[in-house]
Amino acid sequence: MPRTVVLDPVQEASLDRLVAAGRYGSSEEAIAAGVALLLRHEDRLATLHQSWHEGVESGDYQPLDATLDALEARYGALEKASP
């Protein structure tokens, strides 16, 4: 189904350069490649979210803030001990 896509001037110029350089055969092909990348990114985010949720549900996790605080204390102590 045809769709109108509005690009800002920088996006439009970038798209034109990609097509002119022969990287893509048309603007539509370049946009389709961009949408494919977006979909892969969304799939990866969904996988990460699901993995995180499973980890939390397992009960064997520590909140990130506590982990970061422990790392900061550990490496802060190492820096102070270094000459």
Side-chain angles (χ1 to χ4, degrees):
M1 159 176 19
R3 179 174 297 244
T4 300
V5 177
V6 179
L7 303 173
D8 66 34
V10 172
Q11 293 169 329
E12 189 172 354
S14 297
L15 185 60
D16 290 343
R17 277 194 304 278
L18 290 169
V19 173
R23 296 281 310 258
Y24 298 94
S26 66
S27 297
E28 291 81 5
E29 185 181 321
I31 290 171
V35 170
L37 283 172
L38 177 64
L39 292 174
R40 274 192 280 176
H41 176 76
E42 290 296 319
D43 285 345
R44 289 178 73 191
L45 284 177
T47 299
L48 287 170
H49 185 281
Q50 180 63 31
S51 296
W52 175 83
H53 184 69
E54 289 171 4
V56 169
E57 292 295 314
S58 75
D60 186 24
Y61 88 104
Q62 186 177 28
L64 182 59
D65 288 343
T67 301
L68 293 176
D69 290 344
L71 288 171
E72 185 177 352
R74 178 180 178 184
Y75 289 106
L78 289 174
E79 284 180 4
K80 289 178 185 177
S82 297

